[in-house]
């Protein structure tokens, strides 16, 4: 475990006390109550500094807003997930995380113990940590993919490219591309992973695709330098046949995850006279 056990214990105790009292009250108990004297003041300082650095508790502001109403156990579990996500252990990777959830590694169990949580919390903590890492990574890779594709389109002869997602996240597409007096709307799904292609499609993106003939669904594979290595257009008919079905009046889907293979893709992107490919000889996903 990258974060020392004693620091985790100290942080967990701070959270327990801060949830029901002020910083000065918590500090007085930790410094003076015999129940807490198994840790040093320096260790408590390190635990509090960790909460500050991670934005979980800030002097003058208190607990992070989304944690105010959490129970004591939930609060410590959320903290554990944030610590795991920051440390990025190898068992949090896509290919092995399901195994880690089913059979939590010793590192995770040690953290649960240090924070005085029941071991039943371990799978949920790992699941939450993975979700946090996945969201942050997807956001970073998504922004890089859009920028790289926009640059490639301009280099390839597009008249103009406007990054709509930079100022409107409700348009249902990311790039507006002008080619040969025509306008194209590209929803860009980017990845840096070579072993699989998993995309998330929002309800709004899907509904825009059904009424906008200029809409295209494009996937971008980025290399280590965040340049376009693989580029493909995703078959829209396939997408429409695989999104969930609503069950009115109660059920209505909001987001769909699609696991794609090469059969669902057409290599490259074709817009008017522009025909661009990535630097890879294939779309690379298996």
């Amino acid at each position: 475990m990258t974060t020392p056990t004693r620091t985790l214990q100290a942080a967990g105790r701070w959270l327990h006390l801060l949830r029901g009292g002020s910083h000065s009250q918590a500090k007085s108990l930790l410094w003076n109550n015999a129940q807490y004297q198994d840790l040093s003041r320096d260790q408590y300082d390190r635990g509090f500094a960790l909460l500050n650095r991670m934005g979980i508790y800030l002097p003058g502001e208190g607990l992070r807003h989304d944690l105010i109403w959490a129970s004591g156990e939930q609060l410590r579990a959320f903290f554990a997930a944030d610590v795991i996500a920051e440390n990025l252990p190898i068992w949090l990777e896509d290919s092995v995380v399901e195994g880690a959830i089913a059979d939590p590694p010793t590192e995770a169990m040690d953290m649960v113990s240090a924070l005085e949580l029941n071991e039943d919390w371990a799978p949920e903590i790992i699941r939450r940590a993975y979700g946090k890492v996945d969201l942050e990574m997807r956001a970073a890779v998504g922004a890089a993919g859009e920028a790289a594709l926009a640059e490639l389109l301009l280099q390839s002869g597009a008249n103009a490219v406007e990054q709509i997602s930079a100022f409107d996240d409700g348009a249902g597409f990311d790039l507006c591309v002008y080619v040969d007096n025509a306008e194209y709307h590209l929803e860009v799904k980017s990845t840096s992973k070579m072993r699989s292609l998993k995309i998330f499609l929002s309800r709004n993106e899907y509904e825009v695709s059904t009424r906008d003939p200029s809409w295209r669904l494009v996937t971008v594979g980025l290399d280590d330098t965040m340049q376009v290595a693989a580029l493909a257009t995703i078959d829209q008919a396939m997408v429409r046949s695989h999104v969930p079905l609503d069950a009115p009046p109660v059920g209505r889907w909001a987001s769909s995850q699609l696991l794609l293979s090469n059969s669902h893709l057409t290599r490259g992107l074709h817009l008017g006279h522009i025909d661009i490919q990535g630097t890879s000889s294939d779309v690379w996903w298996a």
Side-chain angles (χ1 to χ4, degrees), residues 209-279:
S209 78
T210 64
R211 62 176 183 263
D212 181 357
S214 299
W215 193 89
R216 303 287 188 275
L217 183 56
V218 180
T219 184
V220 173
L222 298 173
D223 62 20
D224 291 340
T225 65
M226 290 298 173
Q227 298 303 307
V228 179
L231 181 63
T233 305
I234 300 173
D235 180 54
Q236 290 179 230
M238 180 280 302
V239 172
R240 290 170 187 168
S241 66
H242 284 82
V243 295
L245 294 176
D246 286 339
V250 177
R252 184 176 188 274
W253 70 273
S255 179
S256 180
Q257 174 184 295
L258 300 173
L259 298 174
L260 306 179
S261 66
N262 285 351
S263 63
H264 304 132
L265 309 171
T266 300
R267 186 179 177 226
L269 176 61
H270 314 281
L271 303 176
H273 77 277
I274 292 178
D275 182 3
I276 56 176
Q277 312 286 328
T279 57

Side-chain angles (χ1 to χ4, degrees), residues 139-162:
V141 171
E146 290 172 25
L149 180 58
E151 182 178 356
L152 184 57
L153 284 163
L154 289 171
Q155 292 173 352
S156 302
N159 302 112
V161 179
E162 189 174 12

Side-chain angles (χ1 to χ4, degrees):
M1 193 154 43
T2 303
T3 306
T5 298
R6 294 286 189 173
T7 302
L8 289 172
Q9 288 178 315
R13 290 176 184 180
W14 274 110
L15 286 175
H16 172 70
L17 295 171
L18 289 169
R19 182 174 173 271
S22 68
H23 175 265
S24 59
Q25 290 171 329
K27 183 176 181 178
S28 177
L29 282 170
L30 293 174
W31 260 235
N32 302 304
N33 192 306
Q35 159 182 11
Y36 301 113
Q37 298 309 299
D38 56 328
L39 298 182
S40 69
R41 292 186 178 186
D42 180 64
Q43 288 165 336
Y44 283 121
D45 283 340
R46 291 175 186 273
F48 189 70
L50 178 60
L51 297 178
N52 288 178
R53 182 172 60 77
M54 299 185 73
I56 292 175
Y57 186 94
L58 297 175
E61 297 182 25
L63 286 173
R64 201 171 70 199
H65 293 307
D66 61 319
L67 299 176
I68 290 175
W69 302 109
S71 69
E73 282 193 327
Q74 288 173 329
L75 194 55
R76 282 173 280 146
F78 294 161
F79 167 65
D82 284 357
V83 171
I84 290 174
E86 182 178 66
N87 289 335
L88 272 179
I90 192 170
W91 43 265
L92 211 60
E93 294 182 358
D94 284 353
S95 58
V96 294
V97 69
E98 289 301 327
I101 292 171
D103 184 17
T106 301
E107 186 178 5
M109 298 306 297
D110 288 346
M111 178 175 289
V112 166
S113 176
L115 291 170
E116 300 179 359
L117 290 166
N118 188 290
E119 63 182 23
D120 292 343
W121 274 102
E124 175 59 27
I125 288 170
I126 295 171
R127 191 177 291 111
R128 183 179 176 87
Y130 174 73
K132 179 181 176 67
V133 169
D134 194 43
L135 282 173
E136 292 176 348
M137 186 173 296
R138 278 196 279 133
V141 171
E146 290 172 25
L149 180 58
E151 182 178 356
L152 184 57
L153 284 163
L154 289 171
Q155 292 173 352
S156 302
N159 302 112
V161 179
E162 189 174 12
Q163 190 170 353
I164 303 299
S165 61
F167 57 86
D168 184 359
D169 59 4
F173 56 90
D174 300 309
L175 300 180
C176 183
V177 186
Y178 300 91
V179 180
D180 300 336
N181 297 317
E183 182 177 325
Y184 300 91
H185 299 152
L186 306 186
E187 175 58 32
V188 183
K189 303 297 182 182
S190 305
T191 183
S192 58
K193 300 171 183 177
M194 298 183 64
R195 295 177 183 172
S196 63
L197 180 57
K198 176 175 66 176
I199 70 168
F200 293 87
L201 190 72
S202 72
R203 179 69 179 239
N204 181 53
E205 292 163 355
Y206 171 73
E207 291 184 344
V208 170
S209 78
T210 64
R211 62 176 183 263
D212 181 357
S214 299
W215 193 89
R216 303 287 188 275
L217 183 56
V218 180
T219 184
V220 173
L222 298 173
D223 62 20
D224 291 340
T225 65
M226 290 298 173
Q227 298 303 307
V228 179
L231 181 63
T233 305
I234 300 173
D235 180 54
Q236 290 179 230
M238 180 280 302
V239 172
R240 290 170 187 168
S241 66
H242 284 82
V243 295
L245 294 176
D246 286 339
V250 177
R252 184 176 188 274
W253 70 273
S255 179
S256 180
Q257 174 184 295
L258 300 173
L259 298 174
L260 306 179
S261 66
N262 285 351
S263 63
H264 304 132
L265 309 171
T266 300
R267 186 179 177 226
L269 176 61
H270 314 281
L271 303 176
H273 77 277
I274 292 178
D275 182 3
I276 56 176
Q277 312 286 328
T279 57
S280 172
S281 60
D282 200 352
V283 289
W284 88 21
W285 299 285

